[in-house]
Amino acid sequence: MTTSSQAQAAPTPESVIGWAPCADNKLATYEQISAYFQKLDEASNRMRLYDIGKTTEGRTQQLSIISSEENLAPGNLARYKDIARRLALAKDLTDDQARQLAKDGKSIVWLSYGTHSNEVAAHQAAPQVAYELVTGESPEIRAIRDKVITIVVPSINPDGETQMANWYQQQFGKPWSLTLPDMYHKYAGHDDNRDLAMFNLAETRNVGAQLYREWFPQIVFDAHQIAEFPARIFIPPYNDPVNPNIQALTVRGTNLVGSAITNRLSEEGKSGAISHGTYDMWSNSGMVNTPRYHNMVGILAEVAHSNPAPTTYDPKNFPATFRNGDSTSEPSVFYPHPYKGGEWHLSDSCDYLSSVNVGMLELAAKRASDFLYDIYQMGRDAIQAGKDETYVIPADQADYPTAVKFVNTLRRGGIEVEQATAPFTAKGRDYPAGSFLARGAQAFRPHLTDLTNPQRYPDIRRYPGGPLQLPYDVAGTTLAMQMGVKVDKIGSRVEAATTPVELATPAAGQVSGQGPIYALDPRVNDSFIAVNRLLAAGEKVSRTSSPVTTDRGSWPAGTFLVKAGAQTRDLLTKSANELGIAVASVSDVPDATHELKAPRVALYQAYDNNADRGWNRYIFDTFEFPYTLLNNAEIRTGGLKDKYDVIVLPDASFTSMRDGVRAGGLPPEFTGGITDAGMANLKKFVEDGGVTVGMDTASLLPGRAFGVQATDVTAGQPDTKLNIPGSILKIKVDNTQPLGYGMPEEAGAFFTDSPAFSVPEGSNLKTVARYPANGTLLSGFLLGEEIIANTSAVLDAPIGKGHAVLLGFRTQNRAQSHGTYKFLFNSLYLGAMS
């Protein structure tokens, strides 16, 4: 197809979707946008469309490549991909060879849209951007196609995009037309952006594979839509702090690209671009954050006006200053071209995004060889910095299957891992075969370092004694600590017989002995999957309340015992082989055991975008706990104990649970909350033998509604005295109590402005985990250690025949903190033990 015929043949978005992208009062579904990308791909040889995997709900997620016809010729595209890969991984290259490859290559730029589905311009703009890049014939666009391979991902969350568009069409004209009564991702909601280092979700696994194992872009862009009012768009440079694991050229490159974009916006007369405020370069999560730990420039755009309906903005109603104190009306260094108000349409937001994308791509075209060589330099320097460093993940740790999951998280993030094929010795310690090694001498060392070592968030204040400058997300995320995985950092290159790991699998487990009683280890998270399968099959399962001797050694209190029946061994063998868990035999059963039945679990569902509820759903589904979603109306009706053994209350304030959505905020069937009457029904549920599990701030509900005498010592504390903005804290665990079964004596707890409890002397409340007197901070930031010293983190409150469980921190934070999952799992079984 000739150049002149490209624009004639390519369909416009309007011809396929039915209206121009970002038109007033219109939202296209993912299916409509996907159909347009398919038509554009069929009509043009400047674009290639790829399926990159299925979404959580089974939709096909797409990625398109846009460049010149010559660049997209099969042999050429493969060559440019290989150049990008070789430079990013920085292996077996001299500087001269790398410079030549950088000259020969094309810069690769990633443009993604639709991460957060309620930020509607960020996915509606994608068709227009693709059309302009494919059909444009200006010298600028031609140069971009010639020098840049542009990756366009129409939606990071296709399921939510369709859900949002359908709801808007159904509720058009209503005040809640842009407010969903549920999350716009089944498991993550707004947290889908925080899964780019963990890869729990189908969508983020699809994306990670493309970023870190397929295309290796030098620049990654993600479109969002929450600019600080009245600014029209946020563009980097970012605010401090910068995580020290991020390399200097990444920071410099981000500043360079951001400045070029904002300069272009002003040249085009587009006012209101702001930089430096709100967003920082600290946390390793997010569509543009995690790539920075892979030596990629990460560009976030937060454009204003996430509403298809046009609005007129009156400057008389603007706040005088932004949060940082800068004027909203007078020019400043990071806001030199203030927005003066006026009529605004969604199409204006999309037009800003188009300018941002073209401005970024223009710079990538002009400096293609620079960006390519920079990513090589960073990879080279990372390899040199880590040459005397090895991380060993021992195979003989208590929960080896979870260690395997940690390894696979590293692999999905592009970290090179090896597995020992024979025993070896390092730093005076013997390691068994099956242990994993991740060497520091690799290009993506910043990512490896950040996931395995503590973070220390700096104490930044605008003036002495002033409030802490909080992280945009969280202060400490060290994944190995959250997952409870033992990782030994060794300051030398470890010599061992190894084989490269693609994706790790635990060795097939074994069922030893012939019974008559089989045992499952409560220290292993995946044992709970096996137990749930056994219970579903009608097998007889119990738990010990003291250690038990098995043919594999002594196992702790909480060990699961399974009485051998006709199908028991076959069921155990299947689970052992699939999950990599060990099953032992027991000949002498302890006197003190508790029979276990399948718990009838209800998960409270308020009508809000509560990501904590979604992560609970993800964990319940993953670990095969059956559950029912429980709404306000059912709680208000009562009779809860007839249906459920356990009610789980995800993180939420007492007031939000009691009052719910205000009248007029959603359709009437979704408004209102549990109410005081419903709270009384919850109390009766516990008194009748049920178990409520309050998570994080929801753990305050038993004090307000049930009369539990546990005082939150964090309440009312000013942030100048107590500040823990998302950090990992040490807890000491009483693992002889049912809620602590299988836990180690010390663990890392993810605390984010959470409660901590003091208990009256002589109370019947049982402390299962507490914060120590000192040495509490493991990763992140902690001000006010003395306030939470020796306070309770996990409480068991007996009430009548039942229990209120107070899990005072994020025991399942974003489905990352595997190391404290057992508090939740044990809580579910507490309501089903006799």
Side-chain angles (χ1 to χ4, degrees):
M1 189 178 295
T2 64
T3 298
S4 60
S5 62
Q6 288 277 339
Q8 295 175 358
T12 65
E14 184 174 3
S15 69
V16 176
I17 295 172
W19 58 83
C22 308
D24 288 349
N25 304 315
K26 298 284 188 180
L27 286 182
T29 65
Y30 176 74
E31 285 75 12
Q32 291 173 300
I33 291 174
S34 175
Y36 174 69
F37 271 77
Q38 291 172 22
K39 293 291 186 184
L40 187 60
D41 176 52
E42 292 166 1
S44 175
N45 54 9
R46 293 174 179 173
M47 177 177 172
R48 287 192 181 183
L49 189 63
Y50 298 87
D51 294 344
I52 61 173
K54 295 297 184 182
T55 68
T56 297
E57 295 181 1
R59 292 179 174 84
T60 299
Q61 196 166 10
Q62 294 179 323
L63 171 151
S64 64
I65 307 297
I66 299 174
S67 196
S68 69
E69 300 93 316
E70 182 179 0
N71 291 345
L72 292 183
N76 290 340
L77 184 60
R79 177 168 173 259
Y80 295 136
K81 281 182 67 176
D82 185 60
I83 288 173
R85 179 189 61 80
R86 293 180 66 191
L87 291 172
L89 297 181
K91 289 182 179 179
D92 304 321
L93 290 176
T94 65
D95 288 356
D96 288 342
Q97 290 171 329
R99 286 188 188 279
Q100 187 59 52
L101 287 172
K103 290 179 181 178
D104 294 342
K106 306 293 182 182
S107 60
I108 299 181
V109 178
W110 173 287
L111 309 179
S112 58
Y113 306 86
T115 301
H116 292 153
S117 303
N118 59 348
E119 299 169 14
V120 294
H123 46 81
Q124 298 297 299
Q128 188 63 36
V129 170
Y131 177 75
E132 291 170 356
L133 293 175
V134 167
T135 65
E137 295 298 343
S138 69
E140 182 179 58
I141 296 296
R142 288 185 179 185
I144 288 170
R145 284 197 299 265
D146 180 55
K147 298 295 291 183
V148 181
I149 294 169
T150 304
I151 299 171
V152 178
V153 182
S155 181
I156 298 296
N157 181 15
D159 298 344
E161 186 172 318
T162 291
Q163 185 182 4
M164 193 78 231
N166 285 338
W167 177 261
Y168 181 75
Q169 292 163 6
Q170 294 163 6
Q171 306 295 329
F172 180 73
K174 305 291 178 55
W176 51 75
S177 61
L178 288 168
T179 305
L180 291 169
D182 199 359
M183 300 185 302
Y184 50 73
H185 186 283
K186 177 180 177 180
Y187 293 132
H190 209 69
D191 263 357
D192 61 347
N193 197 32
R194 299 334 195 262
D195 192 52
L196 263 297
M198 187 69 197
F199 304 109
N200 282 312
L201 307 177
E203 296 83 358
T204 53
R205 291 187 182 192
N206 296 341
V207 165
Q210 299 299 315
L211 282 170
Y212 309 129
R213 305 175 76 176
E214 188 72 22
W215 290 100
F216 301 96
Q218 297 87 52
I219 302 174
V220 176
F221 166 85
D222 196 35
H224 288 257
Q225 205 170 5
I226 308 180
E228 186 178 357
F229 187 76
R232 297 294 86 191
I233 192 169
F234 167 86
I235 293 292
Y238 296 96
N239 205 3
D240 283 322
V242 173
N243 189 305
N245 292 318
I246 299 172
Q247 299 208 61
L249 276 173
T250 300
V251 181
R252 295 288 190 189
T254 299
N255 295 345
L256 174 68
V257 174
S259 295
I261 292 169
T262 52
N263 189 67
R264 182 187 186 91
L265 289 170
S266 287
E267 286 177 343
E268 295 180 354
K270 293 182 169 74
S271 64
I274 192 170
S275 300
H276 193 64
T278 307
Y279 307 99
D280 58 36
M281 297 183 74
W282 182 260
S283 180
N284 189 350
S285 65
M287 188 60 246
V288 297
N289 299 346
T290 299
R292 297 186 194 119
Y293 296 83
H294 296 75
N295 308 323
M296 301 169 184
V297 170
I299 301 297
L300 168 70
E302 293 274 4
V303 70
H305 190 82
S306 184
N307 194 325
T311 303
T312 298
Y313 293 102
D314 186 346
K316 294 178 181 178
N317 298 324
F318 290 177
T321 64
F322 293 108
R323 285 191 293 265
N324 66 0
D326 288 348
S327 173
T328 62
S329 59
E330 298 299 322
S332 57
V333 171
F334 292 104
Y335 192 60
H337 192 177
Y339 173 61
K340 299 300 185 181
E343 189 173 289
W344 195 271
H345 299 256
L346 189 66
S347 58
D348 295 314
S349 299
C350 294
D351 191 33
Y352 269 53
L353 287 175
S354 178
S355 294
V356 165
N357 290 161
V358 173
M360 179 170 50
L361 293 168
E362 179 192 25
L363 183 66
K366 289 179 178 177
R367 302 194 57 164
S369 61
D370 293 335
F371 284 115
L372 285 162
Y373 190 70
D374 283 352
I375 202 170
Y376 159 74
Q377 286 193 86
M378 288 185 277
R380 176 201 65 193
D381 294 349
I383 291 170
Q384 177 63 25
K387 62 184 176 63
D388 295 326
E389 183 179 271
T390 308
Y391 294 90
V392 180
I393 303 163
D396 55 359
Q397 54 188 297
D399 189 355
Y400 182 63
T402 295
V404 169
K405 294 174 185 178
F406 174 69
V407 167
N408 286 338
T409 297
L410 296 179
R411 287 296 299 126
R412 290 187 173 99
I415 298 300
E416 297 167 356
V417 182
E418 306 160 30
Q419 188 168 25
T421 56
F424 64 95
T425 301
K427 205 175 180 180
R429 177 181 168 179
D430 294 331
Y431 292 94
S435 299
F436 297 98
L437 296 83
R439 303 190 186 279
Q442 55 182 295
F444 295 161
R445 177 177 178 264
H447 188 60
L448 173 63
T449 303
D450 201 69
L451 296 187
T452 52
N453 291 275
Q455 288 96 39
R456 290 291 179 261
Y457 186 80
D459 191 334
I460 302 176
R461 302 168 192 271
R462 295 187 68 192
Y463 54 88
L468 176 75
Q469 181 174 299
L470 297 174
Y472 176 68
D473 188 22
V474 297
T477 58
T478 310
L479 190 59
M481 290 180 179
Q482 287 197 73
M483 294 186 73
V485 173
K486 174 69 173 174
V487 180
D488 294 334
K489 183 178 181 180
I490 297 171
S492 62
R493 178 178 172 82
V494 173
E495 298 300 328
T498 65
T499 185
V501 173
E502 182 59 29
L503 281 178
T505 54
Q510 293 182 336
V511 180
S512 61
Q514 295 298 321
I517 302 294
Y518 294 104
L520 290 162
D521 192 340
R523 295 169 294 185
V524 178
N525 282 350
D526 283 356
S527 289
F528 290 82
I529 299 177
V531 169
N532 286 332
R533 292 175 180 176
L534 291 166
L535 293 172
E539 295 290 305
K540 295 185 180 299
V541 183
S542 60
R543 300 194 80 174
T544 69
S545 56
S546 60
V548 60
T549 300
T550 78
D551 64 354
R552 292 177 177 270
S554 178
W555 285 1
T559 293
F560 298 99
L561 301 180
V562 189
K563 185 177 180 180
Q567 62 176 348
T568 306
R569 189 177 180 90
D570 289 343
L571 291 170
L572 287 169
T573 299
K574 182 179 179 181
S575 288
N577 289 337
E578 178 187 334
L579 304 171
I581 59 176
V583 181
S585 284
V586 175
S587 55
D588 296 321
V589 178
D591 291 334
T593 62
H594 304 278
E595 184 179 347
L596 190 64
K597 63 180 180 180
R600 300 173 300 167
V601 177
L603 177 63
Y604 173 56
Q605 174 177 254
Y607 296 111
D608 56 6
N609 191 7
N610 186 342
D612 197 58
R613 177 178 72 250
W615 289 123
N616 272 293
R617 293 189 70 180
Y618 175 85
I619 292 167
F620 291 171
D621 287 344
T622 301
F623 286 88
E624 302 182 21
F625 282 95
Y627 63 96
T628 300
L629 293 175
L630 175 65
N631 61 33
N632 292 316
E634 189 173 355
I635 295 176
R636 294 193 294 259
T637 300
L640 299 171
K641 188 63 184 73
D642 295 336
K643 302 176 184 177
Y644 308 114
D645 301 306
V646 184
I647 294 175
V648 178
L649 305 170
D651 175 43
S653 71
F654 175 82
T655 301
S656 69
M657 288 186 285
R658 182 192 63 193
D659 299 342
V661 177
R662 61 173 178 79
L666 279 172
E669 63 268 29
F670 300 117
T671 59
I674 292 175
T675 72
D676 289 335
M679 292 293 180
N681 289 336
L682 283 176
K683 183 178 181 182
K684 183 173 184 350
F685 165 77
V686 176
E687 292 172 337
D688 290 345
V691 174
T692 58
V693 183
M695 311 190 74
D696 202 0
T697 53
S699 65
L700 297 171
L701 182 145
R704 296 282 298 271
F706 304 165
V708 171
Q709 297 299 303
T711 302
D712 176 19
V713 301
T714 73
Q717 295 287 351
D719 58 12
T720 53
K721 290 187 177 181
L722 178 69
N723 211 316
I724 312 173
S727 300
I728 305 172
L729 306 185
K730 181 188 296 184
I731 54 172
K732 294 184 175 293
V733 182
D734 181 354
N735 54 20
T736 67
Q737 296 194 48
L739 292 180
Y741 285 165
M743 288 291 299
E745 292 182 353
E746 289 187 353
F750 190 83
F751 187 111
T752 177
D753 298 322
S754 304
F757 300 102
S758 67
V759 177
E761 189 173 347
S763 167
N764 69 341
L765 302 182
K766 300 175 183 178
T767 295
V768 183
R770 69 171 62 250
Y771 300 106
N774 50 58
T776 307
L777 180 65
L778 296 178
S779 182
F781 184 90
L782 168 59
L783 173 67
E785 179 181 55
E786 70 284 357
I787 294 173
I788 65 169
N790 295 313
T791 60
S792 298
V794 175
L795 283 171
D796 178 2
I799 302 174
K801 298 178 182 178
H803 302 259
V805 175
L806 284 64
L807 302 179
F809 59 90
R810 296 285 180 91
T811 56
Q812 39 41 302
N813 173 53
R814 293 173 176 166
Q816 296 173 6
S817 51
H818 292 239
T820 51
Y821 280 2
K822 282 184 277 286
F823 288 124
L824 174 59
F825 296 166
N826 289 334
S827 298
L828 302 182
Y829 285 161
L830 189 64
M833 287 198 306
S834 59

